[in-house]
């Protein structure tokens, strides 16, 4: 397949696979479907068959590659260190270019690309959400009244924040002391921006209490991951270029020490994906590489700036933590969130079974494969429930949404928060931050 | 199209959900763990949930003379699950229940699709283990490893799969079923049918239930690594340990090429100037383990080995990480990794290692050898590229020669990976023409139309 040039380049990765099948042991989708086509080994074979012309590119093949959570459990368990997800993403991109994405995804992604329209649309959506969504009797969240963008009607979606997170802050939010020692720009990501303004508020305040000047660039847009992970590289590249320009401008203006996120997927975009996506555009590649070096998840940042050295007030909760796939396996952030929570007096931390197993959300996967996604989420909800925790935490808003859905569907009444939000509570209780 | 008719009948019975027929799905069952093997898509993949369904599938298959290939996790290394002649792949992932753990009789009864590691997790609370431990314990199925008669790292002391299979239920090619064996330690009723179907590689019948033997878990373990700068010293040590009346659970060897590769990729801290390393683990009652470990260390030292003893679990884990890295490290070095399992009487290990080295030189190939030295089971691993036809010719000649040498030394074609397709042509070397004919007569008595896993182990009359 001459025109699948970049998949051809993935050949080297493909060759490293010795077909041992070890990935079966950990792939959440294999556990649910028991189909060889759902696990890395099968998908690698599909890539080979497409490369060798034994399979014609088609929507059916693309659908098979869509059947992946990009959770990287397979990579972590692969004795040969095969970059399975890279191969799968490469195949999605090549096939999408060749046969086009399914109509529904195209529509969503085009909408995502137009930042203003996208934000405005969701703002209007927040005010009128009662029209489209009916409130569930118990607990938070709403179920869909009619299917929007191919979402499944049964899905519980958190209330859209009526105030977008980014609107709560100025561009420049000085350290509380007035003597900022560190300058860090916050890439909120869309889920945090649109839904979890509690997380954003807590994070900005905790950092400001630790002599950090927090910059919130106003023109930032969705990181693009939902788009390029599904194979639409062109729109993905547009979004990447836009964010790189916005944050490079912020860097030039404020001389940033860090760019930070509170979303596993967003961190990966800045830390890894942008340099790959724009590898052939020197101007943007330079920006991407410079920003990648400054990129960090908020949990390690909070510890680095001395966040645990402050007087900590009591927060009475039994807490468990879910490792976001991207945060844990791509960014290797697993210890820091736990360290934060264990440092807070009053918190009893309990590990759940399979904490690092995918929650089943995986961005738009949960929209396109709701039933399969739900089966995986139900297991996660059960693992959370059986810890006896009163609060479930995770470092990724995507996971948080999925877990809230899973807990609601299983009738488990446990709230979810970001670990740093607990530190914020603790600061309020000790008086570090005036509540 | 009788195959299509057969598929339609199976669909009518099981529903479309459990009968996969799209080209994309079929492509994913066109291969297994075997390198340098042909690939072929089946016409359908079927996922039964019960013995009755398996019987019905076989009845339909025999009505339409459609080939059937039983498949577990598809991790075998002899092409055993490749649907060479098209037809139906029947896979057992949905028959994955542990039906009973009987701690009084020390048995477990399982469905064919149970993963080996899941069985071990289930019996651990009883202080029991199911010892066969191929490198794929976390994926391989009970029936797949039974049909392959898999071995593993603990083979020297604990034996291989066939030593743990006490009874089974089998569906024959014509759809009839029978049971043989059971929970009794002693059972000499008639021919040993349980043994016949163990290692039959899916060519005689379909295993739909297994009764397996469990044993008490060893209380203590001790691992050691011994480094040798002379191959003969390593060989003498292997013999010496057995002569000292110690049967280690594990006695593994890695040759120079393997050591160098593992070091290059995994940085396990192995000395790259060594000719061979032995990895030894003794297990059992703590006092005995102490004594045996001492005896092993003495033997190693007597034959000029430098010994490290793991002091705790972390150190033990480090030693084993090096051994586990052997195959992946070799595999990463080249696109294709041809892994064989020629086996010789343990006293001839140094001789066999030298022969393999000479063969590598003769055909200008890189061959890393590691394996279960204690039971004479070596894994000469040829690093090559299946797209390089000229090189593959040399590889095939080298493989021929390795098996010739092994058989000449009084060894066998397969210690644990089975015959499958690639080794069929050597069978006469080991069994003679009459022996091969006996295989054929057994096959034809049970499966006259060659419906079950055709093209494997027993060649049809042509
Ligand atoms: C990395 C790696 C390491 C390995 N290490 C070892 C090792 O140390 N020792 C060892 O012995 N092997 C080893 N193997 C080989 C392989 O793991 C074993 O043969 C394994 O037990 C096969 O199990 P499976 O479920 O994958 O069977 P499959 O590969 O699916 O099938 C194996 C055979 O069993 C037949 N079969 C499957 N199910 C049934 C059934 N229900 N009824 C009748 N026949 C059936 C198939 O037709 C086929 O012939 C290794 C393989 C790999 C890839
Ligand atoms: S991707 Fe890795 S784990 Fe999966 S089959 Fe290939 S080598 Fe084995
Ligand atoms: S990334 Fe996750 S879902 Fe995708 S193949 Fe690997 S383990 Fe399976
Ligand atoms: S990763 Fe998810 S949450 Fe983060 S910006 Fe992108 S889409 Fe939004």
């Amino acid at each position: 397949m001459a025109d699948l040039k970049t998949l051809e380049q993935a050949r080297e990765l493909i060759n490293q696979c010795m077909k041992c099948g070890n990935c079966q042991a950990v792939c959440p989708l294999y556990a649910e479907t028991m189909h060889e086509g759902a696990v890395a080994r099968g998908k690698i074979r599909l890539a080979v068959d497409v490369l060798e012309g034994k399979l014609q590119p088609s929507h059916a093949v693309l659908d098979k590659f869509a059947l992946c959570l990009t959770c990287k459990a397979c990579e972590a368990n692969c004795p040969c260190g095969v970059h399975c997800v890279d191969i799968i993403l490469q195949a999605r991109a090549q096939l999408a270019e060749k046969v086009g994405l399914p109509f529904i995804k195209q529509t969503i992604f085009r909408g995502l690309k137009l930042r203003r329209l996208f934000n405005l649309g969701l703002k209007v959506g927040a005010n009128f959400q009662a029209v489209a969504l009916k409130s569930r009797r118990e607990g938070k969240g709403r179920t869909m009244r009619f299917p929007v963008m191919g979402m499944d009607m049964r899905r519980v979606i958190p209330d859209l924040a009526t105030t977008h997170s980014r609107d709560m802050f100025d561009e420049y939010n000085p350290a509380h002391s007035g003597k900022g020692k560190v300058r860090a720009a916050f890439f909120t990501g869309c889920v945090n921006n649109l839904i979890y303004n509690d997380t954003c508020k807590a994070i900005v305040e905790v950092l400001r209490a630790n002599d950090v000047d927090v910059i919130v660039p106003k023109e930032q847009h969705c990181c693009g991951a939902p788009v390029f992970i599904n194979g639409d590289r062109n729109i993905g590249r547009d979004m990447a270029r836009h964010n790189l320009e916005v944050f490079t401008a912020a860097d030039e203006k404020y001389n940033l020490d860090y760019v930070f996120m509170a979303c596993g997927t967003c961190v990966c975009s800045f830390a890894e994906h942008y340099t790959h996506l724009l590898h052939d555009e020197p101007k943007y590649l330079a920006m991407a590489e410079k920003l990648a070096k400054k990129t960090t998840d908020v949990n390690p940042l909070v510890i680095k700036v001395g966040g645990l050295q402050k007087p900590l007030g009591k927060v009475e909760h039994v807490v468990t933590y879910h490792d976001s796939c991207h945060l844990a396996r791509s960014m290797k952030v697993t210890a820091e969130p736990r360290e934060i929570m264990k440092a807070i007096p009053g918190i009893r931390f309990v590990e759940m079974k399979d904490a690092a197993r995918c929650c089943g959300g995986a961005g738009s996967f949960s929209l396109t494969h709701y039933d399969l996604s739900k089966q995986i989420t139900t297991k996660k909800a059960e693992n959370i429930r059986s810890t006896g925790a009163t609060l479930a935490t995770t470092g990724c808003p995507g996971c948080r949404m999925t877990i809230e859905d899973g807990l609601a569907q299983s009738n488990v009444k446990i709230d979810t928060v970001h670990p740093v939000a607990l530190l914020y509570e603790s600061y309020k209780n000790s008086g570090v931050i005036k509540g | 199209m009788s195959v299509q008719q057969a598929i339609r009948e199976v669909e009518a019975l099981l529903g479309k959900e459990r009968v996969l027929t799209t080209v994309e799905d079929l492509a994913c069952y066109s291969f297994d763990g075997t390198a340098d093997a042909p690939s072929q898509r089946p016409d359908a993949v079927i996922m039964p949930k019960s013995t009755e369904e398996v019987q019905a599938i076989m009845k339909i298959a025999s009505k339409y003379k459609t080939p059937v290939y039983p498949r577990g996790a598809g991790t075998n290394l002899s092409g055993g699950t490749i649907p060479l002649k098209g037809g139906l792949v029947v896979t057992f992932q949905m028959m994955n229940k542990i039906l009973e753990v009987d701690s009084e009789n020390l048995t477990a009864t399982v469905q064919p699709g149970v993963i080996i590691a899941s069985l071990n997790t289930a019996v651990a609370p009883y202080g029991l283990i199911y010892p066969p431990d191929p490198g794929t314990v976390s994926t391989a199925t009970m029936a797949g490893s039974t049909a392959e008669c898999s071995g593993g790292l603990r083979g020297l002391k604990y034996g291989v799969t066939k030593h743990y299979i006490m009874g089974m239920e089998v569906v024959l090619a014509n759809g009839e079923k029978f049971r043989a064996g059971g929970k009794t330690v002693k059972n000499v009723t008639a021919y040993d049918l349980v043994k016949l179907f163990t290692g039959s590689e899916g060519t005689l019948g379909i295993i739909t239930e297994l009764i397996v033997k469990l044993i008490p878990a060893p209380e203590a373990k001790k691992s050691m690594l011994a480094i040798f700068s002379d191959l003969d010293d390593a060989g003498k040590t292997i013999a010496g340990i057995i002569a000292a009346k110690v049967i280690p659970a594990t006695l593994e060897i890695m040759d120079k090429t393997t050591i160098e590769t593992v070091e290059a990729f995994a940085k396990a801290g192995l000395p790259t100037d060594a000719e061979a390393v032995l990895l030894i683990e003794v297990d059992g009652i703590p006092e005995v383990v102490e004594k045996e470990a001492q005896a092993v260390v003495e033997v190693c030292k007597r034959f000029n080995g430098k010994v490290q003893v793991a002091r705790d679990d972390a150190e033990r884990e480090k030693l084993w990480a090096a051994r586990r890295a052997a195959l992946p490290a070799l595999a990463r070095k080249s696109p294709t990794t041809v892994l064989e399992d020629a086996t010789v009487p343990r006293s001839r290990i140094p001789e066999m290692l030298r022969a393999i080295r000479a063969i590598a030189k003769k055909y200008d190939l890189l061959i890393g050898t590691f394996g279960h030295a204690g039971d004479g089971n070596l894994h000469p691993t040829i690093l090559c590229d299946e797209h390089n036809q000229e090189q593959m010719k040399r590889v095939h000649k080298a493989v021929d020669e390795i098996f010739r040498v092994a058989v000449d030394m009084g060894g066998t074609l397969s210690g644990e990976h089975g015959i499958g397709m690639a080794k069929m042509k050597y069978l006469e070397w080991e069994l003679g023409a009459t022996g091969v004919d006996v295989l054929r007569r057994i096959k034809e008595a049970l499966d006259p139309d060659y419906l079950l896993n055709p093209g494997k182990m027993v060649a049809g009359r042509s």
Side-chain angles (χ1 to χ4, degrees):
Chain A
M1 292 299 301
D3 40 356
L4 287 180
K5 213 170 91 221
T6 28
L7 195 51
E8 187 67 63
Q9 284 158 0
R11 182 98 225 186
E12 215 169 296
L13 303 181
I14 291 172
N15 277 343
Q16 287 176 355
C17 169
M18 64 170 181
K19 306 189 288 181
C20 67
N22 265 20
C23 34
Q24 288 175 0
V26 292
C27 176
L29 289 180
Y30 184 75
E32 296 307 327
T33 61
M34 297 171 177
H35 288 188
E36 191 76 63
V39 73
R41 179 170 80 160
K43 282 176 277 214
I44 291 173
R45 164 55 56 138
L46 289 173
V48 171
D49 278 7
V50 171
L51 262 172
E52 293 181 350
K54 291 183 195 158
L55 258 186
Q56 286 313 308
S58 67
H59 278 125
V61 185
L62 184 55
D63 277 351
K64 281 282 164 200
F65 285 104
L67 201 62
C68 171
L69 304 158
T70 68
C71 73
K72 294 198 177 179
C74 47
E75 293 188 8
N77 198 46
C78 173
C80 300
V82 177
H83 293 290
C84 314
V85 172
D86 285 352
I87 297 171
I88 291 164
L89 293 187
Q90 192 68 259
R92 282 182 187 176
Q94 292 297 316
L95 288 165
E97 267 158 39
K98 193 118 186 112
V99 301
L101 279 173
F103 176 71
I104 193 89
K105 281 189 183 169
Q106 274 182 33
T107 317
I108 301 175
F109 298 160
R110 275 202 214 107
L112 275 183
K113 182 182 165 182
L114 303 171
R115 196 181 70 90
R116 285 224 174 68
L117 202 64
F118 172 61
N119 285 343
L120 185 72
L122 283 159
K123 235 179 245 182
V124 174
N127 292 325
F128 290 94
Q129 53 186 308
V131 182
L133 309 169
K134 64 171 192 278
S135 282
R136 281 164 57 88
R137 285 239 173 74
E138 305 152 66
K140 292 190 302 186
R142 290 147 192 273
T143 48
M144 307 288 291
R145 216 168 248 182
F146 43 80
V148 181
M149 306 199 303
M151 285 193 201
D152 194 285
M153 303 272 286
R154 289 158 292 176
R155 171 146 197 171
V156 175
I157 310 184
D159 294 328
L160 291 174
T162 37
T163 309
H164 283 187
S165 302
R166 291 198 293 263
D167 295 346
M168 302 188 305
F169 311 108
D170 297 325
E171 176 180 283
Y172 177 71
N173 307 276
H176 292 156
S177 62
K179 287 177 284 195
K181 292 189 192 127
V182 170
R183 288 189 161 177
F186 189 7
F187 180 86
T188 65
C190 28
V191 182
N192 277 330
N193 183 43
L194 300 168
I195 297 171
Y196 296 124
N197 49 24
D198 59 331
T199 302
C200 295
K201 168 108 172 131
I203 285 172
V204 170
E205 293 308 312
V206 163
L207 287 172
R208 291 175 74 192
N210 284 287
D211 299 329
V212 182
D213 294 336
V214 181
I215 322 300
V216 184
K218 290 288 157 175
E219 294 297 311
Q220 58 179 288
H221 188 12
C222 168
C223 68
V227 177
F228 58 74
I229 281 182
N230 277 290
D232 194 332
R233 264 203 295 222
N234 288 332
I235 295 184
R237 280 160 70 117
D238 284 346
M239 292 163 98
R241 283 195 211 93
H242 172 83
N243 285 324
L244 289 171
E245 278 170 8
V246 170
F247 278 78
T248 301
D251 192 16
E252 279 162 5
K253 187 164 165 196
Y254 294 103
N255 196 11
L256 300 173
D257 299 299
Y258 298 103
V259 176
F260 71 93
M261 293 81 183
C263 166
T265 315
C266 300
V267 194
C268 293
S269 295
F270 272 75
E272 290 179 349
H273 291 308
Y274 287 176
T275 50
H276 298 166
L277 268 177
L278 297 165
H279 66 95
D280 53 353
E281 293 185 40
K283 178 179 144 201
Y284 287 102
L285 180 62
M287 289 186 195
E289 282 176 344
K290 189 162 180 213
L291 290 172
K293 288 203 193 82
K294 301 189 180 200
T295 297
T296 174
D297 172 57
V298 68
N299 289 293
L301 178 62
V302 162
I303 294 179
K304 230 177 281 168
V305 298
L308 301 184
Q309 258 78 68
K310 289 264 175 312
L312 300 177
K314 228 178 187 183
V315 180
E316 303 267 5
H317 267 297
V318 183
V319 178
T320 188
Y321 179 76
H322 159 73
D323 283 294
S324 130
C325 299
H326 292 160
L327 210 51
R329 280 182 286 277
S330 298
M331 304 313 300
K332 312 269 182 274
V333 173
T334 54
E336 295 88 346
R338 291 175 168 83
E339 196 182 329
I340 291 174
M341 292 182 281
K342 286 178 184 170
I344 301 172
I347 284 186
R348 187 159 73 80
F349 184 81
V350 198
E351 284 290 350
M352 70 176 86
K353 182 172 170 243
D354 295 333
R357 195 174 168 91
C358 182
C359 65
S364 59
F365 184 87
S366 58
L367 306 182
T368 49
H369 299 81
Y370 183 71
D371 283 321
L372 202 47
S373 163
K374 189 175 161 235
Q375 287 170 25
I376 301 172
T377 311
T378 304
K379 285 190 184 149
K380 182 57 77 179
E382 173 52 28
N383 290 348
I384 292 174
R385 193 199 56 75
S386 55
T387 57
T390 53
L391 264 186
T393 63
T394 174
C396 177
C399 306
R400 184 172 167 191
M401 247 171 89
T402 309
I403 289 172
E404 281 182 356
D405 183 26
L407 291 171
Q409 303 277 2
S410 310
N411 265 319
V412 181
K413 292 187 187 63
I414 298 178
D415 269 335
T416 58
V417 292
H418 188 279
V420 176
L422 291 171
L423 192 60
Y424 177 59
E425 284 307 309
S426 171
Y427 279 8
K428 284 202 282 195
N429 294 345
S430 68
V432 169
I433 289 176
K434 307 280 168 285
Chain B
M1 284 295 284
S2 54
V3 182
Q4 293 309 324
Q5 245 161 317
I7 295 170
R8 265 195 299 278
E9 282 190 28
V10 176
E11 264 177 359
L13 216 68
L14 272 68
K16 283 193 190 297
E17 281 258 299
R18 293 188 283 129
V19 183
L20 314 180
T21 51
T22 66
V23 278
E24 294 78 25
D25 271 323
L26 300 179
C28 297
Y29 293 84
S30 64
F31 68 103
D32 56 26
T34 318
D36 184 31
S39 69
Q40 170 67 47
R41 290 179 198 157
D43 292 290
V45 177
I46 305 171
M47 311 180 85
K49 282 186 173 169
S50 67
T51 303
E52 289 66 38
E53 287 185 352
V54 176
Q55 286 185 280
I57 293 166
M58 284 320 303
K59 286 202 176 111
I60 295 168
S62 36
K63 180 162 124 198
Y64 292 103
K65 302 254 183 290
T66 308
V68 169
Y69 310 85
R71 179 178 167 114
T75 66
N76 75 87
L77 299 168
S78 51
T81 45
I82 300 170
L84 272 184
K85 316 217 156 148
L88 315 174
V89 163
V90 179
T91 144
F92 294 93
Q93 270 68 23
M94 295 194 172
M95 290 176 73
N96 62 352
K97 285 188 196 57
I98 297 170
L99 302 171
E100 183 195 52
V101 177
D102 180 345
S103 59
E104 270 179 47
N105 287 308
L106 297 183
T107 62
T109 307
V110 299
Q111 288 192 318
V114 168
I115 309 291
I116 303 174
S118 312
L119 176 59
N120 267 309
T121 309
V123 302
Y126 301 89
L128 300 172
I129 58 169
Y130 171 73
D133 61 343
T136 46
V137 276
S138 61
T139 52
T141 62
M142 289 300 293
S145 58
T146 301
E148 207 62 82
C149 193
S150 299
L153 291 179
R154 297 190 280 210
L156 175 57
K157 179 168 175 181
Y158 294 105
V160 298
T161 302
K162 66 179 165 194
H163 300 117
Y164 295 89
I165 306 301
M166 299 175 72
M168 57 172 71
E169 177 187 77
V170 176
V171 171
L172 295 168
N174 63 9
E176 287 169 11
K177 70 169 180 186
F178 76 100
R179 281 176 173 271
K183 287 187 181 179
T184 58
V185 174
K186 294 180 167 183
N187 180 327
V188 294
T189 299
Y191 296 139
D192 194 341
L193 295 175
V194 172
K195 281 269 191 318
L196 176 64
F197 282 85
T198 303
S200 63
E201 301 187 20
T203 62
L204 296 182
I206 298 187
I207 301 166
T208 46
E209 201 177 296
L210 285 161
I211 300 175
V212 302
K213 175 167 118 181
L214 307 170
I215 62 166
E219 282 172 42
K221 292 176 180 168
K222 197 135 212 161
S223 299
M224 290 146 275
L225 177 80
I227 299 156
F228 296 90
S229 48
D230 178 359
L231 203 52
D232 280 317
D233 280 341
K236 286 178 196 154
T237 305
I238 297 167
I241 291 171
I242 307 293
K245 305 280 183 297
V246 177
I247 306 285
T250 306
L251 176 40
E252 297 284 304
I253 191 166
M254 286 193 261
D255 78 342
K256 194 175 173 61
T257 307
T258 309
I259 298 169
E260 283 169 359
T261 313
V262 169
E263 261 323 281
F265 282 89
K267 305 266 175 300
L270 298 175
T272 47
D273 54 347
E275 279 298 312
V277 299
L278 295 179
L279 248 165
I280 307 145
E281 182 165 285
V282 289
D283 69 2
I285 298 163
E287 297 78 29
V288 179
V289 167
E290 265 322 306
K291 248 179 90 180
E292 292 192 337
Q294 263 173 23
V296 170
V297 170
E298 269 163 37
V299 176
C300 293
K301 286 191 176 149
R302 183 158 14 114
F303 297 109
N304 310 312
K306 278 187 251 143
V307 197
Q308 300 167 18
V309 182
R311 274 162 305 192
D312 50 33
D313 277 354
E315 285 191 9
R316 173 174 181 270
E317 187 42 40
K318 227 180 121 194
L319 295 185
W320 288 106
R323 167 63 182 85
R324 277 199 302 271
L327 179 56
L330 290 165
R332 275 164 104 151
K333 213 167 155 162
S334 64
T336 312
T337 320
V338 174
L339 174 75
E340 295 301 351
D341 71 330
T343 302
V344 294
R346 119 173 106 235
S347 60
R348 305 189 75 161
I349 288 264
E351 212 179 321
M352 185 66 191
L353 283 171
R354 258 192 293 273
I356 294 169
R357 206 180 284 181
I359 292 168
K361 201 158 165 214
K362 178 169 167 193
Y363 293 103
D364 189 21
L365 294 166
L366 195 59
I367 307 185
T369 304
F370 60 93
H372 321 301
D375 37 55
N377 181 194
L378 292 177
H379 292 312
T381 305
I382 311 179
L383 308 188
C384 49
D385 181 352
E386 59 191 329
H387 303 288
N388 180 343
Q389 288 182 1
E390 180 277 326
Q391 187 194 44
M392 289 316 285
K393 271 193 200 133
R394 283 184 280 129
V395 171
H396 296 144
K397 281 193 188 140
V399 170
D400 287 351
E401 222 162 290
I402 289 172
F403 284 117
R404 184 81 256 178
V405 174
V407 173
D408 287 349
M409 283 187 199
T412 178
L413 298 171
S414 178
E416 55 182 21
H417 295 166
I419 296 302
M421 28 188 289
K423 276 181 263 183
M424 277 163 71
K425 62 178 181 203
Y426 308 126
L427 278 174
E428 269 196 35
W429 295 353
E430 191 171 332
L431 298 173
T434 310
V436 172
D437 193 48
V438 171
L439 295 184
R440 189 174 295 137
R441 282 147 73 182
I442 295 173
K443 167 78 177 171
E444 290 179 357
L446 292 169
D447 179 17
D449 295 321
Y450 285 81
L451 295 182
L452 285 165
N453 212 356
K456 319 292 165 62
M457 182 130 66
V458 184
R461 293 177 201 277
S462 45

